[in-house]
Amino acid sequence: MADNVRPADMKRIETPEQAARFIEEQVALLKAQIGEGRVLLALSGGVDSSVVAALLIRAVGDQLICVHVNHGLLRKGEPEQVIRVFRDQMNANLIYVDAVDRFLDKLSGVSDPELKRKIIGKEFIDVFAEEAAKLNGIRFLAQGTIYPDILESGPVKSHHNVGGLPPELHFELVEPIRLLFKDEVRVVGKALGLPESMVERQPFPGPGLGVRCVGAITRDRLEAVRESDAILREEFANAGLQGKVWQYFTIVPDFRSTGVRDGQRSFEWPCVIRAVNTRDAMTAAIEPIPYDLLARITDRITHEVPGINRVLYDLTPKPVGTIEWE
Ligand code: XMP
């Protein structure tokens, strides 16, 4: 498909002025494509879907209907930020779906990583399709497809957020950032007025914290992943590492070890820190993190996160390890 190929003479978007020009062109194209129609968008709050939402709000206002599915596997504060930015500040037509129990019930007892991914992916499509079925007159489906998604072939893991849609979601596609690379999407996002914390977010897998709560997900261990991740992100930001380290997060595996807390024997989970740098996620190098920062994070996680009595640092590059633990 010719319009899925980046023209050889297409300039990279690097400056606010170039972003402003792109936005102006896209808004005109979107208006022409959509007319009076209604557009549906699954808005995760990630960079790509957020930029698509902001572009469409500019182009067609409340003809855009955003659906934010909270599957319980998002990072701390993310659903709240989506509501604050899009509903409160941008006046978007936003449907918030609390599907936490539904996802966690379906995932209960499931420990196989690929099966977990499949369940999360299928459940997401089901919830989204159910919301779509409640709406009338939808003609378009907007997606945050970016150029690497088009170029990418054969991922090692079953990435659920790229690929086939069920027949009930066969709307006409609207993909305004499909020819952009990630760094260009960020420049456009800034020019659209999205908050820095949204635009500069590190990559986050579709199955979210679900693949970092290793083994069968339980609510208490999932909370330990979410809380330890929030502490890690806060400490990395305070240390000026945000934007310098490509991806950093915590993992809580499904086993316990002995410790001592307040003079009592404890039997709790370890928390693993992973921080990597990469160009394309195909290979990744370990980021050398200052020792005092690791010590502070360890102290905070072991004292502030219920259920954690040890913190470990993963020193394995990719290969042999993958970036995620599942
Ligand atoms: P791995 O673990 O394969 O990860 O080294 C490479 C990059 O892909 C992300 N990742 C995913 N992204 N759905 C996604 O959308 C997934 O199932 C998934 N698994 C891994 C990972 O966070 C890293 O950036």
Side-chain angles (χ1 to χ4, degrees):
M1 269 190 291
D3 66 350
N4 272 353
V5 177
R6 190 169 161 121
D9 60 351
M10 182 171 155
K11 284 228 173 65
R12 284 184 48 75
I13 300 171
E14 288 168 347
T15 65
E17 295 72 34
Q18 288 165 330
R21 209 166 316 130
F22 173 84
I23 293 165
E24 202 181 308
E25 283 164 16
Q26 282 306 320
V27 165
L29 287 171
L30 288 167
K31 280 186 171 152
Q33 184 186 2
I34 295 163
E36 301 295 311
R38 295 179 94 198
V39 192
L40 190 62
L41 168 72
L43 175 60
S44 67
V47 186
D48 305 333
S49 65
S50 296
V51 168
V52 169
L55 272 173
L56 279 160
I57 290 166
R58 257 198 211 187
V60 297
D62 62 9
Q63 287 162 252
L64 172 71
I65 299 147
C66 304
V67 177
H68 178 65
V69 178
N70 181 359
H71 51 27
L73 307 168
L74 297 168
R75 290 179 290 189
K76 190 172 177 173
E78 283 183 344
E80 294 82 358
Q81 186 185 42
V82 168
I83 293 173
R84 200 168 56 242
V85 170
F86 289 98
R87 185 181 283 164
D88 303 345
Q89 293 168 13
M90 294 193 155
N91 240 339
N93 210 339
L94 173 72
I95 298 171
Y96 170 80
V97 187
D98 178 347
V100 175
D101 287 340
R102 181 169 167 172
F103 275 81
L104 296 186
D105 288 350
K106 279 263 157 62
L107 287 163
S108 168
V110 180
S111 57
D112 177 72
E114 292 306 291
L115 189 54
K116 283 166 73 176
R117 274 196 174 75
K118 282 208 186 82
I119 291 172
I120 295 165
K122 179 185 179 302
E123 207 57 24
F124 186 88
I125 298 277
D126 285 355
V127 171
F128 188 65
E130 283 169 28
E131 291 305 315
K134 294 182 199 161
L135 299 164
N136 289 324
I138 302 289
R139 210 183 119 196
F140 301 94
L141 180 71
Q143 288 194 321
T145 313
I146 64 171
Y147 206 44
D149 298 332
I150 292 173
L151 297 177
E152 221 166 62
S153 56
V156 176
K157 294 173 183 177
S158 55
H159 289 199
H160 82 271
N161 49 357
V162 182
L165 290 167
E168 63 270 33
L169 288 176
H170 273 166
F171 302 108
E172 194 177 315
L173 286 184
V174 175
E175 297 179 306
I177 58 171
R178 72 186 178 284
L179 298 184
L180 301 190
F181 288 101
K182 197 77 172 193
D183 53 332
E184 299 177 299
V185 179
R186 294 191 208 277
V187 178
V188 170
K190 268 182 220 156
L192 284 163
L194 291 173
E196 190 91 5
S197 60
M198 203 165 236
V199 172
E200 288 302 336
R201 270 170 46 149
Q202 43 173 323
F204 188 59
L209 301 181
V211 290
R212 299 173 182 171
C213 189
V214 175
I217 298 170
T218 58
R219 287 171 195 249
D220 49 1
R221 206 154 43 81
L222 180 60
E223 278 321 299
V225 179
R226 192 167 1 245
E227 290 299 323
S228 56
D229 171 74
I231 292 172
L232 182 78
R233 286 190 289 134
E234 187 184 320
E235 290 296 334
F236 267 47
N238 290 343
L241 292 176
Q242 201 172 20
K244 292 199 179 127
V245 183
W246 198 75
Q247 205 172 9
Y248 46 95
F249 53 89
T250 60
I251 300 118
V252 180
D254 187 14
F255 65 84
R256 296 170 201 251
S257 73
T258 303
V260 59
R261 192 189 291 282
D262 305 326
Q264 303 271 327
R265 177 185 182 277
S266 69
F267 193 52
E268 298 175 312
W269 305 299
C271 169
V272 181
I273 297 175
R274 189 125 174 85
V276 298
N277 257 324
T278 174
R279 288 174 83 80
D280 56 9
M282 299 304 284
T283 63
I286 298 312
E287 187 63 20
I289 301 302
Y291 193 80
D292 58 343
L293 176 62
L294 286 175
R296 186 161 57 251
I297 293 169
T298 300
D299 186 62
R300 283 197 59 191
I301 290 178
T302 51
H303 287 92
E304 294 175 35
V305 182
I308 302 285
N309 67 355
R310 286 176 198 275
V311 174
L312 316 174
Y313 190 54
D314 184 351
L315 287 169
T316 321
K318 174 181 181 178
V320 177
T322 49
I323 294 176
E324 304 289 346
W325 266 42
E326 285 194 330

